[in-house]
Amino acid sequence: MECLIDRYKVFEGKILQNLRSNGIIHRKDSSSGLWLGSLAAISTMVTVLGEENSYSEVCLLLGITGLGLIISCACLYTRLSMNMKMVKDFQLVYFLPSMITSMMYVILGNKGLLTSVLWGLSVGTLSTWGVVQAMSLFPGCFTLGEATVVTHGCILFLLSAASNLPFRYHLPPIHDDDVATVVLQVGGLFVMMLCLMTRYFSKLRSSKNFYVTTLSMVLLVVLPVLYNLLDQNAIFWVLTFAFGDMRRVFMIVYWALCLLLGISAITYRILSNIHASTSARKSFHLLAVAVYIPGLIMEPTLLYLASGVIMALFVLLELMRILNLPPLGELLQEGFCSFVDEKDSIVALTPLYLLSGLSFPLWMPTDNLELLPLLSGVLTVGVGDTAASTIGYKWGKHKWPGSHKSFEGTAACIISQLILIYGLLWFGFIPSGWYLLRTILVVIGTSLVEARTDQVDNLALPLIMYIALRI
């Protein structure tokens, strides 16, 4: 075992040294996080394999893509461990995952040769060379594992949209969750396109050009495309869906109150010019728990739609902060300075990670998930990580070897999650027996990872718990 650990450390050291020698800035005071890189792909694969009924085409294609991403991850890390003069240049070995993924699309996905080759090249290129480019564009923001899992998540979203939207052009969706998926995919593509345009066209970084371009794209591109795909007005559908049922109305009012509470806390910190402590930041985790648990139990489709909309809004606000666009640019920067985490750098990734960790089970290509896998993010980062940070900060006297985290914090992490699980069991939302015992073991294992890892908890822990509960 020690021999394997030593070999891993040598392998990791070569990768980090190679990145440094090429001017790529790794997130400081952190390991490479190689184990984290393939978790997004694995979570997609276990989702597909866990489907009891026949697979939808989109679900099957995403499962194939997940396997291709795992191969790409292995090729990327192997290549980075070798001595190279320029790691940011495209490497010939990156064609290997492209070819394998293309063949899987043809054989397993029953796709045409041209489509398979194009998709395979895109997946293989973005998941290898694209990871290095992401670390280069955002220096100091990622570990290698974090950059890999974020890039993989973007690839899975793009492929899902590329396979679903053309199908909806010929057969408009009927069910609410399918309509919400189309709305979120088109909206997500719009936000990604706007970010790329501001990156490569400097004229769009002025406030006037930015707002004119954004409004023009919404009115002339987004809404017409949605109308063609849905055969109805997207704004009218959203309003009808959200406010056409009294239970949804009550849920939205409740969420609005939670949002108002969060905005009030942020405003207080900004006006008081007080930098938020770890405990203060973790209070937003508890607020997220208050939002997600009722939503997952009573209105998962509404929460699915709302989480995607909030993610798009977060990205737009972060873009406005970075570009310092009035009227919100300065205010957003003050909020960033008040609540910045030690793991944040150029981009405020912590809130984006938190929202992704809480929401990603909802974004998976299936509607057959049980409640506990849906609660993976709520349990790990909403409840467990919050308890670990709070208890560990106040009463943590016995530290883990080589870590600032404490045994007391880890115990609080486990106990707090078990309290929530037994509460759900008491109200009949989850089954007992072997399923409950397995969940307890997963909670303990995930909490031990939280105690020992230096990767971003909001990103890593929900993925680990989700995979463990779906296997």
Side-chain angles (χ1 to χ4, degrees):
M1 187 65 182
E2 291 183 1
C3 181
L4 290 176
I5 294 175
D6 291 338
R7 287 188 178 183
Y8 174 81
K9 290 182 177 178
V10 172
F11 181 74
E12 181 184 48
K14 290 180 179 179
I15 291 176
L16 294 177
Q17 177 59 40
N18 207 1
L19 293 175
R20 283 193 297 269
S21 63
N22 282 271
I24 297 177
I25 303 177
H26 196 270
R27 184 160 64 77
K28 63 180 181 179
D29 301 327
S30 300
S31 62
S32 63
L34 301 182
W35 59 270
L36 174 61
S38 61
L39 291 188
I42 294 174
S43 65
T44 305
M45 289 188 62
V46 299
T47 300
V48 176
L49 294 175
E51 289 286 278
E52 297 179 358
N53 302 321
S54 59
Y55 302 161
S56 67
E57 182 180 9
V58 175
C59 188
L60 178 59
L61 290 175
L62 288 178
I64 295 171
T65 305
L67 181 56
L69 291 175
I70 294 174
I71 297 171
S72 297
C73 191
C75 290
L76 172 64
Y77 293 169
T78 301
R79 189 69 184 101
L80 289 177
S81 67
M82 303 175 184
N83 293 325
M84 292 188 295
K85 294 182 179 179
M86 288 299 295
V87 301
K88 288 185 283 187
D89 292 344
F90 189 83
Q91 306 293 320
L92 188 62
V93 71
Y94 297 160
F95 278 112
L96 177 61
S98 299
M99 290 186 294
I100 296 175
T101 307
S102 298
M103 288 189 292
M104 289 192 296
Y105 284 139
V106 173
I107 299 171
L108 301 178
N110 239 3
K111 304 301 292 185
L113 181 61
L114 180 60
T115 300
S116 299
V117 171
L118 289 175
W119 285 7
L121 284 173
S122 299
V123 170
T125 301
L126 291 175
S127 58
T128 50
W129 176 78
V131 172
V132 180
Q133 295 303 311
M135 295 188 70
S136 180
L137 285 173
F138 302 100
C141 291
F142 300 109
T143 66
L144 180 57
E146 291 163 4
T148 305
V149 77
V150 169
T151 305
H152 286 187
C154 293
I155 292 170
L156 290 166
F157 167 76
L158 290 172
L159 190 87
S160 174
S163 55
N164 182 56
L165 295 181
F167 173 71
R168 293 307 176 187
Y169 180 77
H170 299 287
L171 187 63
I174 299 174
H175 303 292
D176 288 337
D177 53 347
D178 293 329
V179 179
T181 297
V182 172
V183 172
L184 294 181
Q185 287 177 342
V186 173
L189 291 174
F190 157 69
V191 172
M192 294 178 74
M193 182 62 66
L194 186 62
C195 292
L196 290 174
M197 289 172 64
T198 55
R199 169 68 177 83
Y200 293 104
F201 299 101
S202 57
K203 291 184 178 179
L204 295 180
R205 297 171 194 169
S206 67
S207 57
K208 178 182 177 181
N209 292 339
F210 178 84
Y211 291 123
V212 169
T213 301
T214 302
L215 184 60
S216 299
M217 289 179 67
V218 170
L219 295 178
L220 301 178
V221 179
V222 175
L223 292 179
V225 168
L226 283 173
Y227 188 86
N228 283 323
L229 293 173
L230 301 177
D231 267 352
Q232 58 181 317
N233 187 292
I235 296 177
F236 181 74
W237 177 86
V238 170
L239 293 176
T240 303
F241 173 71
F243 299 101
D245 183 271
M246 284 306 299
R247 189 168 68 175
R248 294 192 194 116
V249 172
F250 285 129
M251 186 66 67
I252 291 173
V253 171
Y254 167 69
W255 288 345
L257 293 175
C258 293
L259 178 62
L260 183 61
L261 181 60
I263 292 175
S264 300
I266 295 173
T267 304
Y268 170 76
R269 291 284 174 179
I270 293 175
L271 295 177
S272 303
N273 198 24
I274 302 174
H275 188 272
S277 63
T278 300
S279 299
R281 288 196 299 268
K282 296 302 181 182
S283 63
F284 288 94
H285 290 216
L286 294 178
L287 197 59
V289 171
V291 168
Y292 271 77
I293 290 181
L296 287 171
I297 292 174
M298 294 188 291
E299 288 292 340
T301 302
L302 180 63
L303 181 61
Y304 167 56
L305 177 63
S307 64
V309 171
I310 295 299
M311 173 58 76
L313 183 61
F314 272 14
V315 173
L316 285 175
L317 290 175
E318 184 62 12
L319 181 61
M320 293 172 64
R321 182 192 69 82
I322 293 172
L323 298 178
N324 194 25
L325 297 177
L328 296 177
E330 293 185 5
L331 183 62
L332 291 171
Q333 181 60 30
E334 291 178 2
F336 174 78
C337 293
S338 298
F339 286 88
V340 63
D341 187 86
E342 65 274 7
K343 295 179 181 179
D344 289 324
S345 181
I346 300 172
V347 183
L349 290 172
T350 300
L352 298 177
Y353 287 154
L354 175 61
L355 182 58
S356 299
L358 293 168
S359 305
F360 89 91
L362 284 168
W363 300 342
M364 283 293 169
T366 178
D367 55 0
N368 297 323
L369 289 179
E370 297 173 324
L371 181 59
L372 274 181
L374 286 172
L375 287 170
S376 298
V378 174
L379 283 166
T380 51
V381 300
V383 176
D385 183 48
T386 302
S389 297
T390 303
I391 301 300
Y393 177 76
K394 293 184 177 180
W395 296 288
K397 297 181 180 180
H398 304 87
K399 304 295 183 181
W400 287 92
S403 173
H404 67 279
K405 298 180 180 180
S406 65
F407 289 102
E408 291 85 353
T410 303
C413 182
I414 296 172
I415 294 171
S416 61
Q417 293 179 77
L418 293 182
I419 290 174
L420 177 56
I421 289 171
Y422 277 104
L424 295 172
L425 177 66
W426 176 268
F427 287 102
F429 291 118
I430 60 173
S432 58
W434 165 244
Y435 185 78
L436 178 62
L437 176 60
R438 189 180 63 152
T439 302
I440 294 172
L441 295 176
V442 170
V443 166
I444 294 173
T446 307
S447 300
L448 293 176
V449 173
E450 188 276 337
R452 303 301 295 162
T453 185
D454 57 2
Q455 304 301 296
V456 176
D457 294 335
N458 296 350
L459 193 63
L461 300 182
L463 287 167
I464 294 173
M465 175 167 279
Y466 177 84
I467 292 170
L469 290 175
R470 289 289 291 174
I471 292 177

